[in-house]
Amino acid sequence: MGSALNIGKLFGIQLRLHYTWFIIFVFLTVLLVSPHWLSPLWWITGIITCLLFFASVIAHELAHSLVGRANGIPIKSITLFIFGGVAQMTREATRPIAEFKMAAAGPICSLVIGCLFGLLWLFTPITIEPIAIMVQWLAFINVALAIFNFIPGFPLDGGRVFRSLLWHFTGNYQRSTLIATQVGRVVGYLFILGGILIAFLRPFGMSWFNGLWLVFIGWFLENAASASYRQSQFRETLHRFTASQVMTSDYPVVPSDITISRLVQEYVLVSGRHFLLVADEGQLKGIVTLHNIKTIPQGNWGVTQVKEIMIPINKLKVAYPDQDALSILEQMDDDDMNQMPVVSEGRVIGLIARDNLIRFLRIRSESGI
Ligand SMILES: [Zn+2]
């Protein structure tokens, strides 16, 4: 998810605000304050309530993240956006029990928060009107969030719980993902259908806007379920291949003792690559990127050698020929890398680039292999 603002870290996890979050923040605040437009007390309580709501959403995502991390699933960031929050993990669970605990942690956290606000509401004197109403709203919205997330359509939390159970009982991850994501798509379509009905029939005093909102949520869920299905298919396919099957042998190699001037003229400008392997007689010494070149002033390019600016092999992650391609992709995700050299007994035998992996799978599926 692009265009997000970093707002700090919690337990080592980056918190981010997507630009669409500001829309929902303003919208919810206005909804909470209406129709008391002229009362500063309502505005202040409205804004605080909205902030508390998003703190609850962060707590929900944090519950997923911390339980995930304790079960060996690293979490990079939590992003708040128009439909709530999302925790970005760099890999999927490898055991159903880990996925079950991680998925259930979020809605359970929301349920607990909802009950706490419910208790607080019982003890709030009804005379302090905006506060009592807002505490009640916080209790309601958190319980609603928990219930909504327990709907068993992937990628909602309930869908993940559902998949982990299927996976546990069938032992087949791919088949379980297929079923859970297809249920997720059905849930998405039901939301769209329900939204359209509400928009036209307006039952229980609901407005056309409630219906429209439901249509949007359904559309979002259907898209996310389809994307999750495609992605898990992609990962499952990668899992069946090794580094030596997906690597490319088309990559430029430069010797470590040439100057940067020669590197730029004879390799970078000719090949147009941003990333070159450094090897002497086949032995991998490191990698050099445009970024490394830029750290040296142009005047010194004639007297500086590649080995002085390269990232040396001992600081480099490399792949091995029989390593499975999925674990390489996960390693690249963990370290924010786009390429990884494949090394056998110290010698470079290939290169794996992220776009190569995607091209490899596309050609494979197009040719029906
Ligand atoms: Zn959740």
Side-chain angles (χ1 to χ4, degrees), residues 60-61 64 149 157:
H60 172 115
E61 296 304 329
H64 286 308
N149 271 296
D157 299 332

XYZ file of all heavy atoms in Angstrom, residues 60-61 64 149 157, ligand 1:
46
model
N -5.985 -3.797 17.849
C -6.421 -5.008 17.136
C -5.279 -5.546 16.253
O -4.935 -6.729 16.316
C -7.655 -4.647 16.294
C -8.127 -5.717 15.362
N -9.347 -6.329 15.503
C -7.560 -6.267 14.258
C -9.510 -7.222 14.533
N -8.432 -7.197 13.754
N -4.683 -4.659 15.453
C -3.606 -5.083 14.551
C -2.360 -5.493 15.336
O -1.646 -6.412 14.955
C -3.250 -3.965 13.553
C -4.375 -3.595 12.591
C -4.898 -4.773 11.783
O -4.110 -5.699 11.491
O -6.102 -4.797 11.472
N -2.682 -9.027 16.519
C -2.265 -9.949 15.456
C -0.737 -10.013 15.395
O -0.146 -11.084 15.329
C -2.711 -9.448 14.081
C -4.168 -9.584 13.782
N -4.844 -10.757 13.928
C -5.073 -8.689 13.298
C -6.106 -10.582 13.553
N -6.269 -9.330 13.174
N -15.089 -8.989 11.757
C -13.858 -9.707 11.438
C -13.963 -11.210 11.612
O -13.127 -11.948 11.119
C -12.692 -9.156 12.258
C -12.025 -8.015 11.522
O -11.467 -8.195 10.459
N -12.122 -6.813 12.084
N -10.279 -11.851 9.289
C -9.676 -12.715 10.309
C -10.405 -14.043 10.419
O -9.794 -15.097 10.568
C -9.700 -12.009 11.667
C -8.896 -10.711 11.619
O -7.962 -10.651 10.804
O -9.215 -9.792 12.378
Zn -7.868 -8.373 12.206
